[in-house]
Amino acid sequence: MQPISATNDFVVKFANINGSGSASANELFARAILRMGVPVASRNIFPSNIQGLPTWYEVRVSGEGWLGRRGGVDLMVALNPQTWDKDVAGIEPGGYLLYDSTKPIPLSRFRKDLRLLPVPLTEICNKAYSDPRQRQLFKNIIYIGALVFLLEIDLEVAQWLITEQFEDKKKLIAPNIQALGFGYDYARDHLGGACSLKVKRDDKVSDRIFINGNNAAALGCVYGGATVCAWYPITPSTSLAEAFARHCKRLRVDPETGRNKFAIVQAEDEIAAIGMVAGANWNGARGFTATSGPGISLMQEIFGFCYYAEVPAVIFDIQRGGPSTGMPTRTQQSDLLLTAYSGHGDTKHVMLFPEDPREAFEFAAKAFDLAERLQTPVFVMSDLDIGMNDWLCEPLSWDKDRRYDRGKIITAEELEAGKEFGRYLDVDGDAIPYRTLPGSHPTKGAYFTRGSSHDRYARYSEEGSVYVEVMQRLLQKFETAKTVVPRPVLRPAKEKTSYGAIYFGSTSVAMNEALVSLEKLGLHLDLLRVRAFPFAEEVVDFINAHEQVFVVEQNRDAQLQKLIVNECAIDPARFISILHFDGTPVTARFITQAISDRMKLGKHKTQEAAE
């Protein structure tokens, strides 16, 4: 078996033990390649415990710029005995295995079609360090040093990254650079020419940034005018609230008085958190919460209240694997149905589907405008893959002339001039009433905010016709929402085709690559990336223009497809579900295989029918 030979096009996977300090070293490896101008896509696959269980960190090096998971591993750094067999089995034929060779490993534990890269990591550490914790931490840097030599990564780049990483702890710089050198020197002296995977300096990264979605979304909240965050910790959303706190301390503190211009509350539970958000928005502030599936479940009563009382609110749902506790540290797109209709009775909620951290920033800011314009909850449906993994994306940008859309607010001057006010009165035909903010006028514009049945003037009523009038208007307002949410993105095929594919969110990067692979197989399909719910008319038009439409999503129950069928009255037979839900981000290979199998089968049936 010939060894895999590739430049700027391979996958390295690290198999470690959670709590061993490996994550920062593995991230350093990814960033070193980025600094050489070569795009990478990193994925941290970690367990839901503090330490002891298996964890993996996957780095895809792609000179072509593909940012999704490819599938398969070319070089495995196997440092966890518990997962050794599984890790070795996952390497591509002709691939490489870097392992700790301090203790002999039976030949039966290896594969004959692999190239071995033995490095006595424990032995090197034991000679250099006496402290057990140092031995563990520096072992990670040593294997990075070995990879720097084997893959021909610029040593100075890696050294400079260590200097940057420990800028605030300068005494750690020299020891880490020394450990990096231990690994580099060993590989140079013992493994010269052993690996044919190489990194060659390029300029494909340009001005793109490496950032995770939770950090980007938190910054989007600041730029979008948010001043209140109420939250309760839950993986994988916690880092969004924490990032918002960091950004606020930098950007929302009065430089003269030192006073905070923000309020961040870690509530006693998710129910309290969303209640605080509702109160803040009712009072005229822009507030939000960040949570995941279990939190969405607990918040349902307040969602219904905000929908019916027409109180703006922004909720970030960083989706994870369910049901129940499910897989807290794995990714899925599994909350669509739960969120779309959250509440008691008839409710429908606006959802936004960012594809990467850049759109997480953009949609975060936009969510506050939409929530106030539509006077309703708006959900930003991210997921663990976007939220907690670093992505290479276009720089975040902001139009300095942009003004917030506060929606329909009656001012004190308008009230004083005698303008008619009915809190739930539709005067413009778009089903969105005017509202007042507390304290706007000393005697006019007050109303009672209630979750019980009310008429157009906010007066309590259980009369059936009054209730129907309000509920019908809320349904009409959802139609208005279709005209203001982000439009879907169409990508026509290079050749005319009767096949289409619909997808959304973090699936995008793998879908883009899969399309190119399918084209190489002579298989063409039009793509439509859905970016919001309610669905724009373009979604129905796209489906009607194709005989068969693949719907690619990361959940078991085809939730996006079900929403489309339910909301757009489409025959389910028009769809072919492509479902990936094992908790890892979907790969281009998975999508390519699943779609090509069905398209080839369809062509075969068409030929049989013609014969």
Side-chain angles (χ1 to χ4, degrees), residues 324-397:
S324 187
T325 304
M327 296 191 293
T329 59
R330 299 292 190 267
T331 194
Q332 278 190 18
Q333 298 171 320
S334 56
D335 294 346
L336 272 64
L337 294 177
L338 170 68
T339 302
Y341 305 118
S342 284
H344 306 127
D346 295 325
T347 54
K348 287 186 180 182
H349 298 299
V350 174
M351 299 188 294
L352 308 182
F353 306 127
E355 71 168 344
D356 62 7
R358 182 191 59 79
E359 274 197 345
F361 170 82
E362 176 187 333
F363 287 6
K366 187 174 184 63
F368 292 99
D369 282 350
L370 290 172
E372 291 206 285
R373 182 172 180 177
L374 297 169
Q375 299 174 28
T376 196
V378 173
F379 295 81
V380 181
M381 305 296 289
S382 181
D383 58 34
L384 184 147
D385 186 23
I386 294 175
M388 295 192 71
N389 286 316
D390 288 324
W391 288 51
L392 187 64
C393 61
E394 297 299 321
L396 310 182
S397 61

Side-chain angles (χ1 to χ4, degrees), residues 96-362:
Y96 302 87
L97 174 64
L98 191 155
Y99 64 99
D100 186 351
S101 60
T102 301
K103 294 183 179 180
I105 298 175
L107 291 176
S108 60
R109 305 294 302 278
F110 296 99
R111 283 170 44 193
K112 294 181 179 179
D113 60 345
L114 301 181
R115 295 300 183 270
L116 304 183
L117 305 172
V119 181
L121 299 169
T122 301
E123 179 183 328
I124 296 172
C125 285
N126 288 347
K127 287 181 179 179
Y129 312 105
S130 57
D131 180 79
R133 184 58 176 164
Q134 283 186 322
R135 288 175 172 176
Q136 177 59 62
L137 294 175
F138 286 125
K139 181 188 292 186
N140 302 317
I141 300 299
I142 292 171
Y143 69 66
I144 296 299
L147 288 173
V148 167
F149 173 80
L150 289 165
L151 303 179
E152 297 183 0
I153 297 171
D154 192 326
L155 179 60
E156 291 185 358
V157 167
Q159 292 171 335
W160 181 248
L161 282 169
I162 289 174
T163 303
E164 285 186 350
Q165 182 175 338
F166 296 108
E167 185 177 1
D168 297 332
K169 300 177 181 179
K170 294 188 183 299
K171 65 179 182 180
L172 297 177
I173 294 175
N176 276 275
I177 289 179
Q178 181 188 49
L180 186 78
F182 287 153
Y184 185 93
D185 292 344
Y186 183 88
R188 180 195 61 202
D189 296 340
H190 299 87
L191 298 174
C195 182
S196 298
L197 303 177
K198 302 300 176 185
V199 176
K200 182 180 180 181
R201 189 175 286 277
D202 208 335
D203 60 355
K204 298 292 182 60
V205 174
S206 63
D207 64 344
R208 285 184 289 176
I209 61 175
F210 206 43
I211 188 172
N212 67 64
N214 282 354
N215 190 10
L219 191 58
C221 291
V222 175
Y223 275 77
T227 57
V228 177
C229 171
W231 63 293
Y232 185 78
I234 181 172
T235 302
S237 70
T238 296
S239 60
L240 196 159
E242 293 173 339
F244 181 71
R246 292 195 303 273
H247 293 312
C248 283
K249 289 175 183 176
R250 183 168 56 91
L251 300 170
R252 287 207 186 283
V253 177
D254 190 299
E256 296 182 2
T257 65
R259 294 184 59 184
N260 292 337
K261 295 182 177 181
F262 60 92
I264 300 174
V265 182
Q266 183 175 325
E268 61 265 35
D269 56 33
E270 287 90 347
I271 301 172
I274 189 59
M276 294 176 189
V277 170
N281 282 277
W282 174 85
N283 204 42
R286 287 189 159 188
F288 73 93
T289 191
T291 189
S292 193
I296 296 293
S297 299
L298 290 170
M299 296 177 181
Q300 296 229 5
E301 184 173 0
I302 305 298
F303 294 156
F305 170 81
C306 290
Y307 173 81
Y308 193 45
E310 299 181 67
V311 176
V314 173
I315 303 95
F316 291 88
D317 182 2
I318 317 302
Q319 298 169 91
R320 69 189 206 183
S324 187
T325 304
M327 296 191 293
T329 59
R330 299 292 190 267
T331 194
Q332 278 190 18
Q333 298 171 320
S334 56
D335 294 346
L336 272 64
L337 294 177
L338 170 68
T339 302
Y341 305 118
S342 284
H344 306 127
D346 295 325
T347 54
K348 287 186 180 182
H349 298 299
V350 174
M351 299 188 294
L352 308 182
F353 306 127
E355 71 168 344
D356 62 7
R358 182 191 59 79
E359 274 197 345
F361 170 82
E362 176 187 333

